[in-house]
Coordinates of all heavy atoms in Angstrom, one line a residue:
P1 N -35.1 141.4 114.8 CA -35.9 140.6 115.8 C -35.3 139.2 116.0 O -34.6 138.7 115.2 CB -37.3 140.4 115.1 CG -37.4 141.5 114.0 CD -36.0 141.9 113.7
A2 N -35.6 138.7 117.2 CA -35.0 137.4 117.6 C -35.4 136.3 116.6 O -34.7 135.4 116.3 CB -35.5 137.0 119.0
H3 N -36.6 136.3 116.0 CA -37.1 135.3 115.1 C -36.2 135.3 113.9 O -35.8 134.2 113.4 CB -38.5 135.6 114.7 CG -39.1 134.5 113.8 ND1 -39.3 133.2 114.3 CD2 -39.5 134.5 112.6 CE1 -39.8 132.5 113.3 NE2 -39.9 133.3 112.2
Q4 N -35.8 136.4 113.4 CA -34.9 136.4 112.2 C -33.5 135.8 112.5 O -33.0 135.1 111.7 CB -34.7 137.8 111.7 CG -35.9 138.3 110.9 CD -35.7 139.7 110.4 OE1 -34.8 140.5 110.9 NE2 -36.4 140.1 109.3
G5 N -33.0 136.1 113.7 CA -31.8 135.5 114.1 C -31.9 134.0 114.2 O -31.0 133.3 113.8
S6 N -33.0 133.5 114.6 CA -33.2 132.0 114.7 C -33.3 131.5 113.3 O -32.7 130.4 113.0 CB -34.5 131.7 115.4 OG -34.5 132.2 116.7
Q7 N -33.9 132.1 112.4 CA -33.9 131.6 111.0 C -32.5 131.6 110.4 O -32.1 130.7 109.7 CB -34.9 132.5 110.1 CG -36.3 132.2 110.4 CD -37.2 133.0 109.5 OE1 -36.9 134.2 109.2 NE2 -38.4 132.5 109.1
T8 N -31.8 132.7 110.6 CA -30.5 132.8 110.1 C -29.6 131.7 110.6 O -28.8 131.1 109.9 CB -29.9 134.2 110.4 OG1 -30.7 135.2 109.9 CG2 -28.4 134.3 109.9
E9 N -29.7 131.5 111.9 CA -29.0 130.4 112.6 C -29.4 129.0 112.0 O -28.5 128.2 111.7 CB -29.3 130.4 114.1 CG -28.3 129.7 114.9 CD -28.6 130.0 116.4 OE1 -28.4 131.1 116.9 OE2 -29.0 129.0 117.1
L10 N -30.7 128.8 111.8 CA -31.1 127.6 111.2 C -30.6 127.4 109.8 O -30.0 126.3 109.5 CB -32.7 127.5 111.1 CG -33.3 126.3 110.5 CD1 -33.0 125.1 111.3 CD2 -34.8 126.5 110.4
Y11 N -30.6 128.4 109.0 CA -30.1 128.3 107.6 C -28.6 128.1 107.7 O -28.0 127.3 106.9 CB -30.4 129.6 106.8 CG -31.8 129.8 106.5 CD1 -32.5 131.0 106.7 CD2 -32.6 128.7 106.0 CE1 -33.8 131.2 106.4 CE2 -33.9 128.9 105.7 CZ -34.5 130.1 105.9 OH -35.8 130.3 105.6
G12 N -27.9 128.7 108.6 CA -26.4 128.6 108.7 C -26.1 127.1 109.1 O -25.1 126.6 108.5
R13 N -26.8 126.5 110.0 CA -26.6 125.1 110.3 C -26.9 124.2 109.2 O -26.1 123.3 108.9 CB -27.4 124.7 111.5 CG -26.9 125.2 112.9 CD -27.6 124.5 114.0 NE -29.0 124.6 114.0 CZ -29.8 125.5 114.6 NH1 -29.2 126.4 115.4 NH2 -31.1 125.4 114.6
R14 N -27.9 124.5 108.4 CA -28.3 123.7 107.3 C -27.2 123.8 106.2 O -26.8 122.8 105.7 CB -29.6 124.1 106.7 CG -30.1 123.1 105.6 CD -31.4 123.5 105.0 NE -31.2 124.8 104.3 CZ -32.2 125.6 104.0 NH1 -33.4 125.5 104.4 NH2 -31.9 126.7 103.3
D15 N -26.7 125.0 106.0 CA -25.7 125.2 105.0 C -24.4 124.5 105.4 O -23.7 123.9 104.6 CB -25.4 126.7 104.8 CG -26.5 127.4 104.1 OD1 -27.4 126.7 103.5 OD2 -26.6 128.6 104.1
A16 N -24.1 124.5 106.7 CA -22.9 123.9 107.3 C -23.0 122.4 107.1 O -22.0 121.7 106.7 CB -22.7 124.3 108.7
R17 N -24.2 121.8 107.4 CA -24.4 120.4 107.2 C -24.2 120.0 105.7 O -23.6 119.0 105.4 CB -25.8 120.0 107.7 CG -25.8 119.9 109.2 CD -27.1 119.2 109.7 NE -28.3 119.8 109.2 CZ -29.0 120.7 109.8 NH1 -28.6 121.1 111.0 NH2 -30.1 121.2 109.3
E18 N -24.8 120.8 104.8 CA -24.6 120.5 103.4 C -23.2 120.6 102.9 O -22.7 119.8 102.2 CB -25.5 121.5 102.6 CG -25.4 121.3 101.1 CD -26.0 120.0 100.6 OE1 -26.6 119.3 101.4 OE2 -25.8 119.7 99.4
A19 N -22.5 121.6 103.4 CA -21.1 121.8 103.1 C -20.3 120.6 103.6 O -19.4 120.0 102.9 CB -20.5 123.1 103.7
A20 N -20.6 120.1 104.8 CA -19.9 118.9 105.4 C -20.2 117.7 104.6 O -19.3 116.9 104.3 CB -20.3 118.7 106.8
R21 N -21.4 117.5 104.1 CA -21.8 116.4 103.3 C -21.1 116.4 102.0 O -20.5 115.4 101.5 CB -23.3 116.4 103.0 CG -23.9 115.2 102.3 CD -25.3 115.4 101.9 NE -25.5 116.4 100.9 CZ -25.1 116.2 99.6 NH1 -24.6 115.1 99.2 NH2 -25.3 117.2 98.7
I22 N -20.9 117.6 101.4 CA -20.2 117.7 100.1 C -18.7 117.4 100.3 O -18.1 116.7 99.5 CB -20.4 119.1 99.5 CG1 -21.9 119.3 99.0 CG2 -19.4 119.4 98.4 CD1 -22.3 120.7 98.7
R23 N -18.1 117.9 101.4 CA -16.7 117.6 101.7 C -16.5 116.2 101.9 O -15.5 115.6 101.5 CB -16.2 118.4 102.9 CG -15.9 119.9 102.6 CD -15.2 120.5 103.8 NE -15.8 120.3 105.0 CZ -16.8 121.1 105.5 NH1 -17.2 122.1 104.8 NH2 -17.3 120.8 106.7
K24 N -17.4 115.5 102.6 CA -17.3 114.1 102.9 C -17.3 113.3 101.6 O -16.5 112.4 101.4 CB -18.4 113.6 103.8 CG -18.4 112.2 104.3 CD -19.5 111.9 105.2 CE -19.4 110.4 105.6 NZ -20.5 110.1 106.5
G25 N -18.2 113.7 100.7 CA -18.2 113.0 99.4 C -16.9 113.2 98.6 O -16.4 112.3 98.0
D26 N -16.4 114.4 98.6 CA -15.2 114.7 97.9 C -14.0 113.9 98.5 O -13.2 113.4 97.7 CB -14.8 116.2 98.0 CG -15.7 117.1 97.1 OD1 -16.4 116.6 96.3 OD2 -15.7 118.3 97.4
T27 N -14.0 113.9 99.8 CA -12.9 113.1 100.4 C -13.0 111.6 100.1 O -12.0 111.0 99.8 CB -13.0 113.3 102.0 OG1 -12.8 114.7 102.3 CG2 -11.9 112.5 102.7
R28 N -14.2 111.1 100.1 CA -14.4 109.7 99.8 C -13.9 109.4 98.3 O -13.3 108.4 98.1 CB -15.8 109.3 100.0 CG -16.1 107.8 99.7 CD -15.5 106.9 100.7 NE -15.7 105.5 100.3 CZ -14.8 104.6 100.4 NH1 -13.7 104.8 101.0 NH2 -15.1 103.4 100.0
R29 N -14.3 110.2 97.4 CA -13.9 110.1 96.0 C -12.4 110.1 95.9 O -11.8 109.3 95.1 CB -14.5 111.1 95.1 CG -16.0 110.8 94.8 CD -16.6 111.8 93.8 NE -16.8 113.1 94.4 CZ -17.8 113.4 95.2 NH1 -18.7 112.6 95.5 NH2 -17.9 114.7 95.7
K30 N -11.7 111.0 96.6 CA -10.2 111.1 96.5 C -9.6 109.8 97.1 O -8.6 109.3 96.5 CB -9.7 112.3 97.3 CG -10.1 113.6 96.7 CD -9.7 114.7 97.6 CE -10.2 116.1 97.1 NZ -9.8 117.2 98.0
I31 N -10.2 109.3 98.1 CA -9.6 108.0 98.7 C -9.8 106.9 97.7 O -8.9 106.1 97.5 CB -10.3 107.7 100.1 CG1 -9.9 108.7 101.1 CG2 -10.0 106.3 100.5 CD1 -10.7 108.7 102.4
V32 N -11.0 106.8 97.1 CA -11.3 105.7 96.2 C -10.4 105.8 95.0 O -9.8 104.8 94.6 CB -12.8 105.6 95.8 CG1 -13.0 104.7 94.7 CG2 -13.6 105.3 97.0
I33 N -10.3 106.9 94.4 CA -9.5 107.0 93.2 C -8.0 106.9 93.5 O -7.2 106.3 92.7 CB -9.8 108.3 92.4 CG1 -9.3 108.2 90.9 CG2 -9.1 109.5 93.0 CD1 -10.1 107.2 90.1
G34 N -7.6 107.4 94.6 CA -6.2 107.2 95.0 C -5.8 105.7 95.2 O -4.8 105.3 94.7
A35 N -6.7 105.0 95.9 CA -6.5 103.5 96.0 C -6.4 102.8 94.7 O -5.6 102.0 94.5 CB -7.6 103.0 96.9
R36 N -7.3 103.2 93.8 CA -7.3 102.6 92.5 C -6.1 102.9 91.7 O -5.5 102.1 91.0 CB -8.6 103.1 91.7 CG -8.7 102.5 90.3 CD -9.0 101.0 90.4 NE -9.0 100.4 89.1 CZ -8.4 99.4 88.7 NH1 -7.6 98.7 89.5 NH2 -8.4 99.0 87.5
M37 N -5.6 104.1 91.8 CA -4.3 104.5 91.1 C -3.1 103.7 91.7 O -2.3 103.3 90.9 CB -4.1 106.0 91.2 CG -5.1 106.9 90.5 SD -5.1 106.6 88.7 CE -3.5 107.3 88.3
I38 N -3.1 103.5 93.0 CA -2.0 102.7 93.6 C -2.1 101.3 93.1 O -1.1 100.7 92.7 CB -2.1 102.8 95.1 CG1 -1.7 104.2 95.6 CG2 -1.2 101.8 95.8 CD1 -2.0 104.5 97.0
E39 N -3.3 100.7 93.0 CA -3.5 99.4 92.4 C -3.0 99.3 91.0 O -2.3 98.4 90.6 CB -4.9 99.0 92.5 CG -5.5 98.7 93.9 CD -7.0 98.4 93.9 OE1 -7.5 98.2 92.8 OE2 -7.6 98.4 95.0
L40 N -3.4 100.3 90.2 CA -2.9 100.3 88.8 C -1.4 100.4 88.7 O -0.8 99.8 87.8 CB -3.6 101.4 88.0 CG -5.1 101.3 87.8 CD1 -5.7 102.6 87.2 CD2 -5.4 100.1 86.8
A41 N -0.8 101.2 89.5 CA 0.6 101.4 89.5 C 1.4 100.2 89.7 O 2.5 100.0 89.2 CB 1.0 102.5 90.5
A42 N 0.8 99.2 90.4 CA 1.5 97.9 90.6 C 1.7 97.2 89.3 O 2.6 96.4 89.2 CB 0.7 97.1 91.6
N43 N 0.9 97.4 88.3 CA 0.9 96.7 87.0 C 1.1 97.5 85.8 O 1.3 96.9 84.7 CB -0.4 95.9 86.8 CG -0.6 94.9 88.0 OD1 0.3 94.1 88.3 ND2 -1.8 94.9 88.5
D44 N 1.1 98.8 85.9 CA 1.2 99.7 84.8 C 2.4 100.7 85.0 O 2.3 101.6 85.8 CB -0.1 100.4 84.5 CG -0.1 101.2 83.3 OD1 1.0 101.7 82.8 OD2 -1.2 101.4 82.7
P45 N 3.5 100.5 84.3 CA 4.6 101.4 84.4 C 4.3 102.8 84.2 O 4.9 103.7 84.8 CB 5.7 100.8 83.4 CG 5.2 99.5 83.1 CD 3.8 99.4 83.3
M46 N 3.4 103.1 83.3 CA 3.1 104.5 83.0 C 2.4 105.2 84.2 O 2.7 106.3 84.6 CB 2.2 104.7 81.8 CG 3.0 104.4 80.5 SD 2.0 104.5 78.9 CE 0.9 105.8 79.2
V47 N 1.5 104.4 84.8 CA 0.8 104.9 86.0 C 1.8 105.1 87.2 O 1.8 106.1 87.9 CB -0.4 104.0 86.4 CG1 -1.1 104.5 87.7 CG2 -1.4 104.0 85.3
R48 N 2.6 104.1 87.3 CA 3.6 104.1 88.4 C 4.5 105.4 88.2 O 4.8 106.1 89.2 CB 4.5 102.8 88.3 CG 5.5 102.8 89.4 CD 6.3 101.5 89.4 NE 7.0 101.3 90.6 CZ 6.5 100.8 91.7 NH1 5.3 100.3 91.7 NH2 7.2 100.7 92.8
N49 N 5.0 105.6 87.0 CA 5.8 106.8 86.7 C 5.1 108.1 87.0 O 5.6 109.0 87.7 CB 6.3 106.7 85.3 CG 7.3 107.8 85.0 OD1 6.9 108.9 84.7 ND2 8.5 107.5 85.0
L50 N 3.8 108.1 86.7 CA 3.0 109.3 86.9 C 2.9 109.6 88.4 O 3.1 110.7 88.9 CB 1.6 109.1 86.4 CG 0.6 110.2 86.8 CD1 0.9 111.5 86.2 CD2 -0.8 109.8 86.4
L51 N 2.6 108.5 89.2 CA 2.5 108.7 90.7 C 3.8 109.0 91.3 O 3.9 109.9 92.2 CB 1.9 107.4 91.3 CG 0.4 107.2 91.0 CD1 -0.1 105.9 91.7 CD2 -0.5 108.3 91.3
E52 N 4.9 108.4 90.8 CA 6.2 108.7 91.4 C 6.5 110.2 91.1 O 7.1 110.9 92.0 CB 7.3 107.8 90.8 CG 7.2 106.4 91.3 CD 8.1 105.4 90.6 OE1 8.6 105.7 89.5 OE2 8.3 104.3 91.2
R53 N 6.2 110.7 89.9 CA 6.5 112.1 89.6 C 5.7 113.0 90.5 O 6.1 114.1 91.0 CB 6.2 112.4 88.1 CG 7.3 111.9 87.2 CD 7.1 112.5 85.8 NE 5.7 112.6 85.5 CZ 5.1 112.0 84.5 NH1 5.8 111.2 83.6 NH2 3.8 112.1 84.2
E54 N 4.4 112.7 90.6 CA 3.5 113.5 91.4 C 3.9 113.6 92.9 O 3.9 114.6 93.5 CB 2.0 113.1 91.3 CG 1.5 113.3 89.9 CD 1.6 114.8 89.5 OE1 1.2 115.7 90.3 OE2 2.1 115.1 88.4
I55 N 4.3 112.4 93.4 CA 4.8 112.4 94.8 C 6.0 113.2 95.0 O 6.2 114.0 95.9 CB 5.0 110.9 95.3 CG1 3.6 110.2 95.4 CG2 5.7 110.9 96.6 CD1 3.7 108.7 95.5
A56 N 6.9 113.1 94.0 CA 8.2 113.9 94.1 C 7.9 115.4 93.9 O 8.7 116.2 94.4 CB 9.1 113.4 92.9
A57 N 6.8 115.8 93.3 CA 6.5 117.2 93.1 C 5.8 117.8 94.3 O 5.5 119.0 94.2 CB 5.7 117.3 91.8
L58 N 5.4 117.1 95.3 CA 4.7 117.6 96.4 C 5.6 118.7 97.1 O 6.8 118.6 97.2 CB 4.4 116.5 97.4 CG 3.4 115.5 97.0 CD1 3.3 114.3 98.0 CD2 2.0 116.0 96.7
T59 N 4.9 119.8 97.5 CA 5.6 120.9 98.1 C 5.2 121.2 99.6 O 6.0 121.7 100.3 CB 5.4 122.2 97.3 OG1 4.0 122.5 97.2 CG2 6.0 122.0 95.9
R60 N 4.0 120.8 100.0 CA 3.6 121.1 101.3 C 4.2 120.1 102.3 O 4.2 118.9 102.0 CB 2.0 121.0 101.5 CG 1.4 122.1 100.7 CD -0.1 122.2 100.8 NE -0.8 121.0 101.3 CZ -2.0 120.9 101.8 NH1 -2.7 122.0 102.1 NH2 -2.5 119.7 102.2
D61 N 4.7 120.5 103.4 CA 5.4 119.7 104.4 C 4.5 118.5 104.8 O 5.0 117.4 104.9 CB 5.8 120.5 105.6 CG 7.0 121.4 105.3 OD1 7.7 121.1 104.3 OD2 7.2 122.3 106.1
Q62 N 3.2 118.8 105.1 CA 2.4 117.7 105.6 C 2.1 116.6 104.5 O 2.0 115.5 104.8 CB 1.1 118.2 106.2 CG 0.1 118.9 105.2 CD 0.3 120.4 105.2 OE1 1.4 120.9 105.4 NE2 -0.8 121.1 104.9
D63 N 2.1 117.1 103.3 CA 1.9 116.1 102.1 C 3.2 115.3 102.0 O 3.1 114.1 101.8 CB 1.6 116.9 100.8 CG 0.3 117.6 100.9 OD1 -0.5 117.3 101.8 OD2 0.1 118.5 100.1
I64 N 4.4 115.9 102.0 CA 5.6 115.2 101.9 C 5.8 114.2 103.0 O 6.2 113.0 102.8 CB 6.8 116.2 101.9 CG1 6.7 117.1 100.6 CG2 8.1 115.5 102.0 CD1 7.6 118.3 100.6
K65 N 5.4 114.6 104.2 CA 5.6 113.7 105.4 C 4.7 112.5 105.2 O 5.0 111.4 105.7 CB 5.2 114.4 106.7 CG 6.4 115.4 107.1 CD 6.0 116.1 108.4 CE 7.1 117.1 108.7 NZ 6.8 117.9 109.9
A66 N 3.5 112.6 104.6 CA 2.6 111.5 104.4 C 3.2 110.4 103.6 O 2.8 109.2 103.7 CB 1.3 112.0 103.8
F67 N 4.2 110.7 102.8 CA 4.8 109.7 101.9 C 6.2 109.3 102.3 O 6.9 108.5 101.6 CB 4.8 110.3 100.4 CG 3.4 110.3 99.8 CD1 2.7 111.4 99.9 CD2 2.9 109.1 99.3 CE1 1.4 111.4 99.4 CE2 1.6 109.1 98.7 CZ 0.9 110.3 98.8
E68 N 6.8 109.9 103.4 CA 8.1 109.6 103.9 C 8.1 108.1 104.2 O 7.3 107.6 105.0 CB 8.5 110.4 105.1 CG 8.9 111.8 104.7 CD 9.3 112.7 105.9 OE1 9.2 112.2 107.0 OE2 9.7 113.8 105.7
G69 N 9.1 107.4 103.7 CA 9.3 106.0 104.0 C 8.3 105.0 103.3 O 8.3 103.8 103.6
W70 N 7.5 105.6 102.5 CA 6.5 104.8 101.8 C 6.9 104.6 100.3 O 7.4 105.5 99.7 CB 5.1 105.4 101.8 CG 4.0 104.7 101.2 CD1 3.3 103.6 101.7 CD2 3.5 104.9 99.9 NE1 2.4 103.2 100.9 CE2 2.4 103.9 99.7 CE3 3.7 105.7 98.8 CZ2 1.7 103.8 98.5 CZ3 3.0 105.6 97.7 CH2 2.0 104.7 97.5
T71 N 6.7 103.4 99.8 CA 6.9 103.2 98.4 C 5.7 102.6 97.7 O 5.0 101.9 98.4 CB 8.2 102.3 98.1 OG1 8.0 101.1 98.8 CG2 9.4 103.0 98.7
L72 N 5.6 102.8 96.5 CA 4.5 102.1 95.7 C 4.7 100.6 95.7 O 5.8 100.1 95.7 CB 4.5 102.6 94.3 CG 4.0 104.0 94.1 CD1 4.3 104.5 92.7 CD2 2.5 104.1 94.3
P73 N 3.6 99.9 95.8 CA 3.7 98.4 95.8 C 4.3 97.9 94.5 O 4.2 98.5 93.5 CB 2.3 97.9 96.0 CG 1.4 99.1 96.0 CD 2.2 100.3 95.9

């Protein structure tokens, strides 16, 4: 029946909004912790070394390109 389709559609939109909200939170946490790690790397050689190794270990082209020409502060 059409009513069931409407309910399914409503649940689908609600689930999509919830998934988007979760992804947005995950992205924000990654940005915040990444910024903090970069700050720490400026003063802590161990953190700097860790980040340099991790950047060097990137394999996806789009990830590698994000760091081309960039150096830690």
Side-chain angles (χ1 to χ4, degrees):
H3 185 66
Q4 283 182 337
S6 297
Q7 283 181 330
T8 301
E9 199 172 290
L10 177 64
Y11 291 135
R13 284 194 306 264
R14 187 180 70 204
D15 291 344
R17 284 192 303 267
E18 178 65 10
R21 187 189 65 75
I22 290 168
R23 280 192 311 274
K24 184 177 179 180
D26 287 345
T27 299
R28 180 69 185 141
R29 284 186 289 278
K30 290 174 187 178
I31 291 168
V32 170
I33 200 67
R36 183 67 183 128
M37 293 298 291
I38 291 169
E39 288 174 13
L40 288 172
N43 298 312
D44 186 330
M46 286 179 39
V47 175
R48 183 179 195 85
N49 186 279
L50 170 69
L51 290 182
E52 287 172 344
R53 282 192 325 240
E54 290 305 311
I55 292 168
L58 294 173
T59 58
R60 295 185 336 160
D61 287 340
Q62 65 265 34
D63 296 339
I64 293 166
K65 285 179 184 177
F67 289 94
E68 282 180 358
W70 183 81
T71 57
L72 286 165

